[in-house]
Amino acid sequence: MRSFSNPAFQAGLYSAVLTAFLIESYKNLQEDPQQTMITLLRQISLQTNNYTIVAGRLISAVTPEPTPTPFSAALTDIRVNVCWFSSLVLSLSSASFGMLLQQWLREYLYIDRTVPQERLRIRYFRARGLEVWKLYEIASVLPLILQVSLLLFFVGLCFFTASVHSSIGTATLLLVCAWAAFFGFALLAPLISPRCPYKTTFLKSAFRQWRMHVGTTPTSLSLFLRLPLTDS
């Protein structure tokens, strides 16, 4: 169970799922060689079947087709792959930093001293280092990076499904908007009341500063929800 709660494991699992989509989507950025071969074979077949002999000369009655324009990927395919490749880079970066973070914490917990006083001094010394080097803040950024990666994947999925069928694209867009609305509310809900359990470590300090700046003046939203601004 601990492995499923590991951010590095979650990022790796998400990257594996995303890679399956990228394997199919990036093909649209390149010219299909099979389609090119079919076009050339069709032209050869037309020319072969429409030759006439005039004055002992073999003349083709088919009008030469214009030179095909160079291949250019569709704008939708470019948008989808930009979103999905960016999402993959962010998710793998989150997994990489997650593994580094595990190594740092493992080193923090490892103490080869047996005397209790020495162990206490080392633990205090390292604990101060965690605060000075902002290790807690770094750890709080990793889930946020993964959420941004997920947002990019959803945006690319909306473009992709819209290019397949408008109904599928609309349904996907509505579901993504519902997810984004709930996620945004859960992210900003602590601004309404410090009692809200939807705490985000990365934004906790900023929200605390905002409440100190606002003070106890009730906002219209807090009055509407009848939630206290401060703990009683």
Side-chain angles (χ1 to χ4, degrees):
M1 292 297 295
R2 293 180 60 184
S3 62
F4 286 97
S5 60
N6 187 346
F9 177 83
Q10 294 175 354
L13 182 62
Y14 167 68
S15 300
V17 175
L18 179 57
T19 302
F21 285 87
L22 283 172
I23 290 175
E24 296 298 327
S25 65
Y26 91 96
K27 296 178 182 178
N28 296 329
L29 299 178
Q30 300 174 341
E31 186 176 6
D32 188 1
Q34 294 183 353
Q35 185 63 37
T36 304
M37 184 177 297
I38 292 174
T39 303
L40 292 176
L41 291 175
R42 184 182 296 111
Q43 294 179 1
I44 294 174
S45 176
L46 289 174
Q47 291 178 355
T48 304
N49 295 330
N50 291 274
Y51 277 115
T52 57
I53 298 176
V54 178
R57 299 176 59 187
L58 192 63
I59 300 176
S60 175
V62 178
T63 303
E65 295 187 3
T67 303
T69 57
F71 173 79
S72 178
L75 181 60
T76 301
D77 295 328
I78 296 176
R79 290 173 177 173
V80 170
N81 282 273
V82 166
C83 291
W84 284 356
F85 275 104
S86 300
S87 177
L88 181 62
V89 171
L90 289 177
S91 63
L92 292 177
S93 300
S94 178
S96 175
F97 283 114
M99 290 185 290
L100 280 177
L101 184 63
Q102 286 183 335
Q103 295 178 7
W104 298 338
L105 294 178
R106 193 178 296 112
E107 182 65 23
Y108 166 76
L109 296 174
Y110 175 74
I111 299 177
D112 57 354
R113 299 291 190 275
T114 58
V115 180
Q117 290 81 359
E118 293 183 0
R119 295 173 62 91
L120 182 60
R121 293 192 189 99
I122 294 174
R123 182 58 57 87
Y124 177 77
F125 176 77
R126 292 180 177 178
R128 291 293 299 166
L130 295 181
E131 297 178 1
V132 172
W133 290 90
K134 306 297 183 181
L135 188 62
Y136 299 111
E137 286 76 3
I138 294 176
S140 65
V141 169
L142 297 183
L144 183 62
I145 294 177
L146 196 57
Q147 293 292 344
V148 174
S149 174
L150 185 62
L151 174 62
L152 288 173
F153 171 74
F154 281 155
V155 172
L157 188 63
C158 289
F159 284 126
F160 178 77
T161 53
S163 65
V164 174
H165 196 278
S166 59
S167 299
I168 302 177
T170 302
T172 304
L173 180 61
L174 291 176
L175 292 175
V176 171
C177 289
W179 168 83
F182 178 78
F183 184 81
F185 170 77
L187 196 66
L188 301 177
L191 286 174
I192 303 174
S193 171
R195 291 183 177 180
C196 178
Y198 309 150
K199 295 292 192 302
T200 302
T201 307
F202 181 73
L203 299 176
K204 187 184 298 184
S205 177
F207 287 170
R208 187 184 301 113
Q209 294 294 330
W210 183 87
R211 287 194 297 267
M212 292 175 60
H213 177 72
V214 174
T216 57
T217 304
T219 61
S220 57
L221 183 58
S222 64
L223 291 175
F224 176 76
L225 297 176
R226 296 183 178 181
L227 295 174
L229 284 171
T230 58
D231 292 329
S232 56

